[in-house]
Amino acid sequence: MMKIKTTLLAAAIALGLVPAVRAEVEAGFELEFLNRLVDLGENVEPGTRFLRAGLGVEVEGFEIGLEGFQALGSGDYNEVSLGIAYGIGIGELVLTPGFTWIWFPDDSEDTAEVSLGVEFPLAGGLEVFAEFAFDVFESEGFLELGVALPFEVPVGGLEVEFTPSVTLGVDYGMVSGERSFKENNVVVSLEASVPVHEQVVVFGSLNHSFSMGALDDAGGKDVSWFGLGVGLEF
């Protein structure tokens, strides 16, 4: 990945996040089409397709991300989030505390979340991960526990990376409104990415969410969706 220096680095130095000497920035941009937007196992706006754009910057262990979702066609849902996180390595274990501010431009229900992620590799290339996000305004949360198995397959001279995964979602009030942990849904996903240029990656995913527990109680249903996009790395 090629390193660049940008005004974002100057901003990070001004905030005291990184030293002013020899700091470097790694950045990436993604643009993705989604046939559905699914959040916490819920189909956000049935019948609507979405465009997702994301910009990520890593500065000396700090990760800064800007992401937006825009409904296409007759849909009117849109969302923008800005987050910062820091990866802490403890042996093979990686802890990632973070903070995210979420804007909903069409209404006044902006919110903020604090989160803590954990990743740990197992034998055979298996990866275990977990993340708990907590809404600081509503005192609600959501926990995800998952396992993934990334592997590469050579196809026509290109190295295609596949990542099948299974994730259990556990609600803590975001779906049910009840401040107690309850199973919510299980997501089965298959992601694939292939580099088509030194700095360009094409990626896609197939996903299915099985409704259960809290989501069933809220009237949720099973839902499938796919995404297809392109990423640029700097």
Side-chain angles (χ1 to χ4, degrees):
M1 182 179 292
M2 184 170 66
K3 307 287 174 68
I4 60 172
K5 291 178 173 60
T6 70
T7 54
L8 287 174
L9 173 59
I13 293 173
L15 290 171
L17 301 181
V18 298
V21 180
R22 299 180 63 85
E24 292 182 321
V25 174
E26 296 182 356
F29 174 77
E30 290 184 348
L31 189 64
E32 182 181 16
F33 169 81
L34 298 164
N35 74 318
R36 291 185 180 90
L37 179 57
V38 178
D39 184 36
L40 310 182
E42 296 180 288
N43 190 351
V44 172
E45 194 169 272
T48 302
R49 293 166 174 78
F50 286 83
L51 194 64
R52 180 186 72 85
L55 174 65
V57 179
E58 184 173 345
V59 185
E60 300 293 324
F62 284 90
E63 301 174 3
I64 303 169
L66 177 66
E67 185 177 52
F69 293 90
Q70 176 61 56
L72 301 175
S74 59
D76 58 7
Y77 180 92
N78 51 39
E79 172 188 329
V80 179
S81 62
L82 176 64
I84 184 169
Y86 185 74
I88 304 169
I90 306 174
E92 294 187 318
L93 181 74
V94 178
L95 298 177
T96 309
F99 175 83
T100 303
W101 188 274
I102 306 170
W103 291 272
F104 298 96
D106 288 340
D107 57 42
S108 58
E109 296 182 359
D110 301 344
T111 191
E113 294 178 355
V114 292
S115 61
L116 179 63
V118 181
E119 298 179 20
F120 188 79
L122 298 178
L126 206 63
E127 298 177 356
V128 175
F129 58 90
E131 183 178 43
F132 182 68
F134 186 78
D135 189 310
V136 297
F137 294 155
E138 300 294 334
S139 298
E140 300 170 344
F142 197 84
L143 173 66
E144 291 183 319
L145 305 166
V147 60
L149 182 62
F151 61 92
E152 292 186 348
V153 177
V155 179
L158 298 173
E159 291 293 328
V160 183
E161 181 174 325
F162 292 94
T163 306
S165 64
V166 179
T167 305
L168 169 66
V170 181
D171 178 51
Y172 186 76
M174 283 192 176
V175 175
S176 66
E178 300 176 4
R179 308 306 192 270
S180 60
F181 288 102
K182 188 174 185 178
E183 72 279 1
N184 186 78
N185 67 314
V186 172
V187 178
V188 179
S189 299
L190 176 61
E191 300 177 356
S193 64
V194 54
V196 295
H197 186 269
E198 183 180 351
Q199 295 173 262
V200 181
V201 176
V202 175
F203 62 90
S205 67
L206 297 172
N207 314 271
H208 185 81
S209 173
F210 297 91
S211 176
M212 57 195 298
L215 188 55
D216 279 346
D217 295 342
K221 299 178 180 179
D222 294 358
V223 59
S224 298
W225 73 100
F226 70 85
L228 183 62
V230 61
L232 304 177
E233 299 179 346
F234 305 98

